[in-house]
């Protein structure tokens, strides 16, 4: 379980305040909100790239350093981070050497990216980059997979394939998805919405979880 207490994100303006986030060990969590509402900033705090919260717990242990979490995350972001001088096949081989990866050959076939393996990132379309970035996240085989708009630039066929893969893999991984795509809302176990500078749990918040995840904790006097 991952829990972040009293999130307070502020730059030149206040983005998010008095909010908590509670996530299970696996399944699909969607974070939605208008553009500029703070979804990307929230993700940066989840991966500990920023520290705009009071407390961060993973499996009931308080986390105080980014290095404690590095091995837990793989991230697909909107910048599609590639090494421009490496072919796509070389990206995959590099990841296999670094991570305890697993076979994703079936997914490579389903998303029809084999023809891109001899290409460089600059030769790919936006949709191809998205599909490759998604597969690279799966290849890393980390407990938590974070996807920022994974179906952007994809047609309905590839969107359906990505959705089906996420559902299958969510039995063993926690997916945290920032998206505007209602197709992904439909498969979410948990949905958070950023609205009026608050993080609101919209789905699967029973009473105790609602108290913990959707409202700031109050101090108690003894």
């Amino acid at each position: 379980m991952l829990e972040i207490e009293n999130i307070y994100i502020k730059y030149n303006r206040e983005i998010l305040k008095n909010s908590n986030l509670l996530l299970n060990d696996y399944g699909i969590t969607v974070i939605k909100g208008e553009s500029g509402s703070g979804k990307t900033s929230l993700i940066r705090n989840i991966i500990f790239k920023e520290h705009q919260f009071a407390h961060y717990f993973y499996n009931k242990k308080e986390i105080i350093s980014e290095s404690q979490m590095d091995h837990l995350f793989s991230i697909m972001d909107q910048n599609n981070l590639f090494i421009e001088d490496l072919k796509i096949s070389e990206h995959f081989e590099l990841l296999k050497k670094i991570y305890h990866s697993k076979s994703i050959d079936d997914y490579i076939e389903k998303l029809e990216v084999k023809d891109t393996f001899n290409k460089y990132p600059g030769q790919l379309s936006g949709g191809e980059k998205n599909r490759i970035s998604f597969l690279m996240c799966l290849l890393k085989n980390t407990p938590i997979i974070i996807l920022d708009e994974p179906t952007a630039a994809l047609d309905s066929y590839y969107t359906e394939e990505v959705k089906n893969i996420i559902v299958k893999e969510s039995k063993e991984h926690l997916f945290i998805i920032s998206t505007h795509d209602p197709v992904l809302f439909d498969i979410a176990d948990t949905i958070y919405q950023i609205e009026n500078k608050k993080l609101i749990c919209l789905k699967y918040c029973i009473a105790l979880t609602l108290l913990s995840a959707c409202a700031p904790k109050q101090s108690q006097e003894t």
Side-chain angles (χ1 to χ4, degrees):
M1 182 177 291
L2 189 156
E3 185 173 7
I4 307 176
E5 296 181 349
N6 295 325
I7 303 166
Y8 52 91
I9 300 175
K10 183 177 180 181
Y11 305 110
N12 60 332
R13 63 184 178 89
E14 197 170 54
I15 303 294
L16 200 59
K17 63 181 180 179
N18 299 329
S19 296
N20 292 352
L21 181 72
L22 183 67
L23 302 175
N24 294 317
D25 292 333
Y26 55 88
I28 302 168
T29 293
V30 162
I31 300 171
K32 67 176 188 172
E34 299 295 327
S35 296
S37 62
K39 297 189 301 297
T40 300
S41 296
L42 177 59
I43 286 175
R44 287 185 61 79
N45 279 272
I46 292 172
I47 64 176
F48 228 94
K49 294 297 183 184
E50 295 184 15
H51 192 152
Q52 300 191 76
F53 46 78
H55 299 284
Y56 189 121
F57 298 93
Y58 183 70
N59 288 340
K60 299 183 180 180
K61 178 181 178 181
E62 184 159 15
I63 305 300
I64 59 173
S65 168
E66 180 184 346
S67 62
Q68 294 175 269
M69 302 296 288
D70 276 347
H71 65 291
L72 293 176
F73 297 108
S74 56
I75 305 159
M76 172 188 171
D77 66 22
Q78 292 178 358
N79 295 320
N80 290 309
L81 298 179
F82 292 97
I83 301 171
E84 293 299 326
D85 293 334
L86 292 185
K87 292 181 179 180
I88 298 305
S89 60
E90 294 172 315
H91 281 79
F92 277 66
E93 290 304 317
L94 182 62
L95 290 176
K96 288 177 182 178
K97 291 178 181 178
I98 296 173
Y99 292 90
H100 181 62
S101 60
K102 65 179 180 180
S103 174
I104 58 169
D105 290 347
D106 288 348
Y107 299 153
I108 289 172
E109 183 176 344
K110 286 180 181 296
L111 295 183
E112 299 178 341
V113 297
K114 193 68 175 178
D115 290 344
T116 69
F117 274 34
N118 288 322
K119 295 181 180 180
Y120 292 94
Q123 297 174 301
L124 304 183
S125 69
E128 287 173 332
K129 285 183 177 180
N130 263 34
R131 282 178 276 153
I132 292 295
S133 295
F134 174 66
L135 290 171
M136 287 167 60
C137 279
L138 298 181
L139 186 63
K140 293 177 183 178
N141 199 28
T142 55
I144 302 173
I145 299 173
I146 297 181
L147 308 176
D148 192 1
E149 299 291 354
T151 56
L154 300 186
D155 61 22
S156 58
Y157 173 80
Y158 290 125
T159 293
E160 188 67 17
E161 291 296 329
V162 165
K163 184 187 79 171
N164 291 339
I165 293 170
I166 291 172
V167 170
K168 181 178 179 180
E169 289 294 315
S170 68
K171 295 176 175 61
E172 299 179 1
H173 302 271
L174 169 61
F175 283 83
I176 304 172
I177 307 173
S178 170
T179 184
H180 293 94
D181 192 343
V183 169
L184 298 177
F185 301 163
D186 294 340
I187 62 171
D189 302 303
T190 302
I191 298 177
Y192 281 94
Q193 178 168 317
I194 300 177
E195 186 176 3
N196 296 325
K197 303 177 184 178
K198 293 290 185 71
L199 186 61
I200 304 166
C201 191
L202 299 180
K203 186 176 181 183
Y204 291 143
C205 279
I206 61 173
L208 291 177
T209 303
L210 180 62
L211 177 61
S212 177
C214 302
K217 291 186 176 180
Q218 303 295 323
S219 61
Q220 296 181 349
E221 295 183 357
T222 57

